[in-house]
Amino acid sequence: AQSVTQPDIHITVSEGASLELRCNYSYGATPYLFWYVQSPGQGLQLLLKYFSGDTLVQGIKGFEAEFKRSQSSFNLRKPSVHWSDAAEYFCASRYNNNDMRFGAGTRLTVKP
Amino acid sequence: ETGVTQSPTHLIKTRGQQVTLRCSSQSGHNTVSWYQQALGQGPQFIFQYYREEENGRGNFPPRFSGLQFPNYSSELNVNALELDDSALYLCASSLDGSSYEQYFGPGTRLTVT
């Protein structure tokens, strides 16, 4: 069955430091992959998505993600984290046209 | 252009009761998906409505039901509430039965006591 794993429940980084959030998926074919961000009391906002083509995807707010088929991974990166990036981050994959599977999320804390 | 809105924001119900949650889709969107997000978990897909018809369902029992109206707004109904139904319920709107580009509402926090 399709699933998404985010190995890190909580990550703390210093402001200005680089960030990488890990995501692994299990699916026979290449899935459609997404990263969402959720601030407290808010809904989810789409950061970026991968369907096909270039494996390095640029998103909003300076985020990027790289699809690596050999590792079944779709890790999210940002070169320099800002305090406003503190939030919960969810990786998701699309199973069929309407069934999105989400990981359990990674909570990002940013130290001043 | 208005975004996705949900009502109410918070709700407290007693076990065994029934609840209706509402969602207004983003202007121009004809598809609404509902998700349940338990505390500390990622959202889980409940079902999707496209042009007033159910267009896919996740692993939720029949006491979770829905409707979509001609203006594409949607309702999620949950009967015989259980304590485990306590969660944040999110709706997301998109175009044409897809989930490629979903826009999420802020959610309804349901507490079952």
Side-chain angles (χ1 to χ4, degrees), chain B:
Chain B
E1 178 180 285
T2 55
V4 178
T5 60
Q6 292 186 244
S7 62
T9 307
H10 295 90
L11 203 52
I12 300 174
K13 289 286 189 178
T14 303
R15 189 171 49 183
Q17 286 187 316
Q18 177 265 343
V19 69
T20 297
L21 310 181
R22 296 178 175 81
C23 171
S24 291
S25 60
Q26 181 160 310
S27 177
H29 285 184
N30 54 18
T31 303
V32 172
S33 303
W34 285 93
Y35 295 84
Q36 181 195 66
Q37 186 178 15
L39 201 59
Q41 301 294 320
Q44 280 195 289
F45 175 69
I46 303 174
F47 43 56
Q48 182 185 82
Y49 276 83
Y50 170 51
R51 291 186 176 178
E52 303 178 58
E53 297 286 332
E54 188 176 289
N55 187 41
R57 189 179 183 91
N59 190 27
F60 280 81
R63 60 190 185 83
F64 285 79
S65 63
L67 280 174
Q68 188 177 33
F69 300 99
N71 67 354
Y72 303 129
S73 66
S74 177
E75 286 182 356
L76 164 65
N77 298 289
V78 187
N79 294 320
L81 283 167
E82 301 176 1
L83 296 180
D84 284 349
D85 295 333
S86 294
L88 181 68
Y89 288 85
L90 297 164
C91 81
S93 75
S94 56
L95 270 174
D96 296 335
S98 81
S99 55
Y100 293 113
E101 194 90 35
Q102 290 187 113
Y103 293 84
F104 282 81
T108 293
R109 172 73 62 189
L110 173 65
T111 302
V112 182
T113 62

Side-chain angles (χ1 to χ4, degrees), chain A residues 32 34 36 38 41-46 49 51 88 90 94 96-105, chain B residues 33 35 37 40-45 48 55-57 88 90 96-102 104-106:
Chain A
Y32 297 125
F34 308 81
Y36 286 87
Q38 185 177 36
Q42 304 290 319
L44 278 70
Q45 181 182 23
L46 179 65
K49 58 187 182 287
F51 294 162
E88 188 91 20
F90 292 96
R94 184 180 71 86
N96 55 32
N97 199 38
N98 46 44
D99 187 357
M100 292 275 281
R101 302 289 176 95
F102 286 82
Chain B
S33 303
Y35 295 84
Q37 186 178 15
Q41 301 294 320
Q44 280 195 289
F45 175 69
Q48 182 185 82
N55 187 41
R57 189 179 183 91
L88 181 68
L90 297 164
D96 296 335
S98 81
S99 55
Y100 293 113
E101 194 90 35
Q102 290 187 113
F104 282 81

Side-chain angles (χ1 to χ4, degrees), chain A residues 2-112:
Chain A
Q2 184 203 28
S3 66
V4 174
T5 303
Q6 293 179 248
D8 305 305
I9 296 172
H10 183 207
I11 283 184
T12 299
V13 300
S14 298
E15 190 167 16
S18 64
L19 171 71
E20 181 168 28
L21 302 183
R22 296 184 291 163
C23 173
N24 294 99
Y25 67 90
S26 68
Y27 188 51
T30 300
Y32 297 125
L33 296 163
F34 308 81
W35 274 99
Y36 286 87
V37 61
Q38 185 177 36
S39 298
Q42 304 290 319
L44 278 70
Q45 181 182 23
L46 179 65
L47 288 174
L48 46 78
K49 58 187 182 287
Y50 172 76
F51 294 162
S52 64
D54 192 347
T55 57
L56 186 62
V57 180
Q58 300 298 320
I60 63 171
K61 304 185 179 187
F63 286 93
E64 67 177 26
E66 185 171 13
F67 171 66
K68 292 186 177 180
R69 183 191 305 275
S70 62
Q71 298 176 20
S72 297
S73 70
F74 187 58
N75 294 349
L76 181 72
R77 300 193 295 246
K78 186 169 185 177
S80 178
V81 169
H82 187 261
W83 64 267
S84 61
D85 293 324
E88 188 91 20
Y89 291 81
F90 292 96
C91 181
S93 67
R94 184 180 71 86
Y95 176 53
N96 55 32
N97 199 38
N98 46 44
D99 187 357
M100 292 275 281
R101 302 289 176 95
F102 286 82
T106 297
R107 184 162 60 92
L108 173 65
T109 298
V110 180
K111 291 191 304 184

